[in-house]
Amino acid sequence: MNRERGVVSWTWLIVLLIGVSVCWAASPNEERHYYYRGRPILSMLANRMVASSVVLPVYGNVYPRGFYHVHVNVGQPEKPYFLDPDTGSDLTWLQCDAPCVRCTQAPHPLYKPSNDLVPCEDPLCISLQPDDHKCESLDQCDYEVEYADGGSSYGVLVRDFVPLNFTNGARHSPRLAIGCGYDQIPGSSYHPLDGVLGLGKGKASIVSQLHNQGLTRNVIGHCLSGRGGGYIFFGDGVYNPSRTAWTPMSRDYSKYYSPGPAELLFGGKATGIRNLVVIFDSGSSYTYFASQPYQALISMLRKELMGTSLRDAADDETLPLCWKGKKPFNSIRDVKKYFKPLALSFGNGGRAATRFEIAPESYLIISLQGNACLGILNGTEIGLQNYNIIGDISMQDKMVIYDNEKQMIGWGPANCDRLPKGKAAAS
């Protein structure tokens, strides 16, 4: 999930089998829904729809708000919810009145769950469980999601309608598996939203479910504007693959969107820092380097700033490292000349390396005090071990694409202030 003010922002999904099964009875007036768990019967319709896409506007920013959200409608009649778009986890869940044991402040009333429970032996449920799990109740799927900041959601899987506008002009309401979260513990970087939109690689992710129903390709992407807002998309109909730099997803880290090991470049030159395990995570507002490359980066930045007018701003607690000038800065443009661009260079199995450029605008913020603060943090200090997380700040003003069918990650510069021309957005 997106995290605020540089607190832990990486969201790997840990799903545990819950020993005690929790059920609720349908009210006498509540209709019981039945769901066909195969592909669409009309193969011609599936073939026609598979080329379509969904575009969802994104709201928020890295700073000062600290997180992004998308607007998703769920249910019949449909009701709105604000969800955190997270490529670091699979499960989509809503705070849920089942009833709710512990729920945090949210912008909308709690989700009223359908009574279409996902059985424990359903493949979607199995994909969220440990390998050695055993079903305590065959009728339902219990889940627990734990995030790196200590937050968690406990609940059950249900199926419900998720109305979406497609870019071919059609509107469909697929029945998707989502989590009814009736017990939430807020983490250290909590922010008030209705739940999480899981965009990971697993079977339970929204895009995987849409693909399995023949509605989109198994491709997701996002375009986050440095001025705030942007959009996410499902499917491959909103970008030109020939104008995108591509690199294969790592087979060694197959659960996450990882291009594998990278070399860090500073000012276009090699630093000798290699074999960085990199993971792209839209659920993280900031970027995190493991301790060794982080300390090396700090040393290089300090060396470059010697002899300039910039000084450490120890009294600014916005982020761990900030610099002040002779007068407050108004924008990154005021300090850009002092900072060199970074890049991560990914090998392509013997082919020419692909670079992910990180300009000063993609690793600095201007605090409310008018100081320049480093938006790359020490991930080892917060338990991320030797992983390096590329967060929202470093993906701004780029279209980043995760093609789960071709097992490729792509990116390229983009205008993220406007939705793709001629494409429909979900209401």
Side-chain angles (χ1 to χ4, degrees):
M1 297 171 66
N2 294 323
R3 302 303 185 196
E4 195 168 6
R5 295 175 65 84
V7 187
V8 53
S9 57
W10 192 36
T11 58
W12 287 355
L13 183 65
I14 305 173
V15 187
L16 306 173
L17 181 64
I18 309 304
V20 179
S21 178
V22 179
C23 299
W24 66 86
S27 64
N29 297 324
E30 186 173 5
E31 178 184 0
R32 178 169 292 279
H33 300 287
Y34 296 92
Y35 178 78
Y36 170 67
R37 295 183 180 84
R39 296 183 61 82
I41 295 174
L42 298 178
S43 60
M44 290 181 63
L45 175 62
N47 290 336
R48 179 172 65 86
M49 285 299 301
V50 78
S52 193
S53 301
V54 174
V55 178
L56 298 174
V58 171
Y59 306 92
N61 55 51
V62 171
Y63 183 83
R65 191 178 181 202
F67 62 93
Y68 292 92
H69 78 267
V70 295
H71 174 176
V72 176
N73 292 339
V74 178
Q76 282 190 342
E78 59 191 73
K79 295 183 179 180
Y81 300 96
F82 292 167
L83 303 182
D84 184 343
D86 184 13
T87 60
S89 62
D90 295 337
L91 181 64
T92 294
W93 60 266
L94 302 173
Q95 296 203 91
C96 179
D97 185 9
C100 191
V101 178
R102 283 181 294 187
C103 283
T104 60
Q105 179 184 355
H108 295 101
L110 295 177
Y111 166 62
K112 298 285 189 180
S114 78
N115 63 331
D116 185 1
L117 293 170
V118 176
C120 183
E121 293 183 338
D122 187 287
L124 289 181
C125 181
I126 293 173
S127 73
L128 294 172
Q129 308 294 348
D131 293 336
D132 59 350
H133 90 282
K134 295 180 180 179
C135 295
E136 295 293 329
S137 170
L138 295 178
D139 294 334
Q140 71 179 47
C141 176
D142 301 309
Y143 76 84
E144 183 175 1
V145 186
E146 296 181 350
Y147 297 99
D149 71 337
S152 65
S153 174
Y154 178 105
V156 297
L157 285 189
V158 299
R159 282 190 170 90
D160 210 340
F161 296 101
V162 181
L164 296 168
N165 291 335
F166 289 76
T167 57
N168 63 358
R171 182 174 174 83
H172 293 271
S173 297
R175 204 162 175 80
L176 304 177
I178 59 177
C180 164
Y182 54 78
D183 190 354
Q184 275 67 240
I185 298 177
S188 58
S189 47
Y190 155 78
H191 45 267
L193 289 173
D194 296 305
V196 171
L197 183 67
L199 303 175
K201 299 176 68 176
K203 292 181 180 180
S205 75
I206 287 293
V207 69
S208 294
Q209 294 187 62
L210 291 174
H211 173 67
N212 288 337
Q213 294 190 33
L215 296 174
T216 67
R217 296 286 186 186
N218 195 350
V219 177
I220 70 166
H222 50 74
C223 198
L224 305 175
S225 172
R227 289 153 292 283
Y231 58 89
I232 65 173
F233 58 89
F234 312 144
D236 62 352
V238 301
Y239 62 91
N240 185 342
S242 66
R243 297 181 180 178
T244 304
W246 296 95
T247 192
M249 294 184 187
S250 172
R251 295 182 179 180
D252 295 330
Y253 306 95
S254 58
K255 292 185 178 180
Y256 314 110
Y257 292 122
S258 173
E263 179 181 6
L264 178 65
L265 307 180
F266 184 80
K269 297 181 179 179
T271 62
I273 302 172
R274 300 184 178 89
N275 296 320
L276 301 180
V277 178
V278 172
I279 293 172
F280 286 75
D281 184 0
S282 69
S284 175
S285 294
Y286 295 105
T287 290
Y288 288 80
F289 280 0
S291 183
Q292 183 178 0
Y294 174 77
Q295 297 298 340
L297 174 62
I298 299 301
S299 296
M300 290 183 285
L301 290 173
R302 291 192 185 280
K303 183 177 180 181
E304 287 295 319
L305 295 177
M306 291 178 62
T308 71
S309 60
L310 271 62
R311 298 291 182 267
D312 283 3
D315 57 338
D316 191 338
E317 297 181 353
T318 302
L319 289 173
L321 184 57
C322 298
W323 296 274
K324 59 185 176 182
K326 293 180 179 179
K327 59 181 181 179
F329 304 119
N330 294 316
S331 71
I332 297 296
R333 291 189 298 271
D334 297 338
V335 296
K336 183 178 179 179
K337 62 182 178 181
Y338 299 111
F339 294 88
K340 290 186 175 181
L342 311 178
L344 293 168
S345 178
F346 299 96
N348 276 337
R351 294 177 288 169
T354 304
R355 289 189 181 185
F356 184 84
E357 305 287 346
I358 307 176
E361 297 93 332
S362 296
Y363 69 82
L364 296 171
I365 65 164
I366 300 300
S367 72
L368 297 179
Q369 291 89 332
N371 300 317
C373 298
L374 180 63
I376 299 177
L377 311 178
N378 189 334
T380 304
E381 288 184 349
I382 58 169
L384 299 182
Q385 301 176 0
N386 289 322
Y387 295 104
N388 301 273
I389 310 303
I390 304 303
D392 296 333
I393 188 172
S394 300
M395 296 188 283
Q396 292 178 125
D397 299 315
K398 295 182 180 71
M399 182 177 286
V400 181
I401 305 158
Y402 312 92
D403 189 330
N404 290 307
E405 296 187 27
K406 298 179 180 178
Q407 289 293 293
M408 301 288 285
I409 301 176
W411 55 78
N415 179 1
C416 302
D417 293 324
R418 297 164 59 184
L419 295 178
K421 186 177 180 180
K423 307 301 182 183
S427 61

